[in-house]
Amino acid sequence: MTHFSQIMLAKVDIAFAEMLQSKQSADKDAWLLAAYTSYAYRAGNSCLILSASLSQISFMHPNGLSIGRFSADWSAQQHQCRWWQHDDASTPLVWQENRLYLRRAWQDEQFIQASIQQRLGMISEVMQPLTPWLTSLFQPSPTNNTEPNWQLIACTLASRSQFSIITGGPGTGKTTTVVRLLALLHRLAQQSTPSQSLQVGLSAPKIGRAHV
C-alpha cells in the first residue's frame, strides 16, 4: 500500500497558481507545481526539488478539503507548460534540471553564485604572520591530545581565503570558531587600515541560525 504525505497549501500559494492559470491555462500538474514551489519558498527553500516522491504527496486546501495529487507523468510539464521555460526571461518560474524556482529566487541564486566565483578568483591580501594572534585566541591542546585543533585550522584557512564555509555537527564549535575568526579579522583590519573598522554582514534565514 502506498502511503501519501499531506501538505496544507496556504491561500497565497493557491492565489499564485490561480494567477498563472488566469494568464495562461495549464493542466492540474502545472498548477500543483506552481503552488508547491510557492509553498517551498515560504518554508525558506530557494527552490522545489523535483523527484519521484512528488507523486506521493496529497495536497490540502486551507479549508481542509483535498486538492489532489500529481499524476504519474507530472515531469512532462517541463516541456508542455510555458510558465517556466528556461530561455524565456519573462516567465515567473524557472525549471532547471531537477529544481523549480520562483524566478526572483533563481536570479538571486545566480547572483550569489557569480559573486562566489568572483571571490574564488581573487588573491588574498593577508600576508601578516598569524601565529601570535592565533595563539592568543586558541588555547594549546593538552599534551596527551594528538588530535588536530580543527577550530584553529578552520580559522586559519578562512582568514587566508576570500570565501569559506565552516561546517560541523552540533557541539563541534562552529559558533566559537566564527567568533574567534571575527576577532582575528578585526585585528587584521586594524593593522592594515587603522582608521577603518571591519564591516560585518549577518543574515539569519531561520530562527536560531545565523550566517555571517
Side-chain angles (χ1 to χ4, degrees):
M1 176 181 292
T2 301
H3 295 279
F4 295 94
S5 58
Q6 289 189 344
I7 287 184
M8 179 79 72
L9 296 174
K11 291 182 179 179
V12 67
D13 306 324
I14 295 173
F16 176 65
E18 290 292 344
M19 179 204 59
L20 297 180
Q21 187 75 278
S22 67
K23 294 181 178 296
Q24 188 173 47
S25 180
D27 67 15
K28 185 175 181 178
D29 282 336
W31 190 99
L32 287 174
L33 283 168
Y36 195 19
T37 301
S38 172
Y39 174 94
Y41 183 77
R42 289 190 305 103
N45 301 294
S46 63
C47 64
L48 173 65
I49 301 298
L50 305 173
S51 66
S53 63
L54 290 185
S55 299
Q56 300 176 4
I57 299 174
S58 177
F59 293 93
M60 306 294 294
H61 193 278
N63 62 15
L65 297 178
S66 173
I67 296 176
R69 304 191 302 267
F70 287 106
S71 69
D73 61 345
W74 60 264
S75 60
Q77 292 302 315
Q78 180 176 8
H79 305 292
Q80 293 177 4
C81 184
R82 295 294 303 174
W83 293 355
W84 41 64
Q85 296 301 315
H86 183 70
D87 56 352
D88 186 353
S90 66
T91 59
L93 298 104
V94 176
W95 189 317
Q96 186 174 30
E97 299 177 353
N98 68 328
R99 303 182 299 276
L100 187 59
Y101 297 83
L102 297 179
R103 179 163 290 278
R104 62 180 179 182
W106 179 82
Q107 290 172 334
D108 290 342
E109 188 169 290
Q110 297 304 302
F111 174 78
I112 293 171
Q113 179 180 347
S115 299
I116 292 175
Q117 291 293 338
Q118 182 182 23
R119 283 181 172 272
L120 290 175
M122 297 171 64
I123 300 175
S124 176
E125 299 179 356
V126 177
M127 301 300 293
Q128 299 95 327
L130 303 179
T131 302
W133 291 339
L134 289 170
T135 301
S136 67
L137 292 170
F138 292 90
Q139 296 297 321
S141 301
T143 55
N144 60 346
N145 184 6
T146 59
E147 189 71 19
N149 188 332
W150 294 112
Q151 295 182 15
L152 186 150
I153 293 172
C155 186
T156 304
L157 293 176
S159 67
R160 298 287 191 182
S161 306
Q162 294 293 338
F163 178 81
S164 298
I165 297 177
I166 296 176
T167 184
T172 54
K174 298 182 297 297
T175 302
T176 301
T177 302
V178 170
V179 169
R180 290 172 177 172
L181 173 61
L182 289 175
L184 177 61
L185 294 177
H186 178 68
R187 294 179 183 181
L188 290 170
Q190 282 188 322
Q191 180 167 314
S192 59
T193 53
S195 61
Q196 185 174 355
S197 301
L198 176 68
Q199 294 185 347
V200 178
L202 178 69
S203 67
K206 293 185 179 180
I207 296 175
R209 299 179 182 178
H211 301 275
V212 177

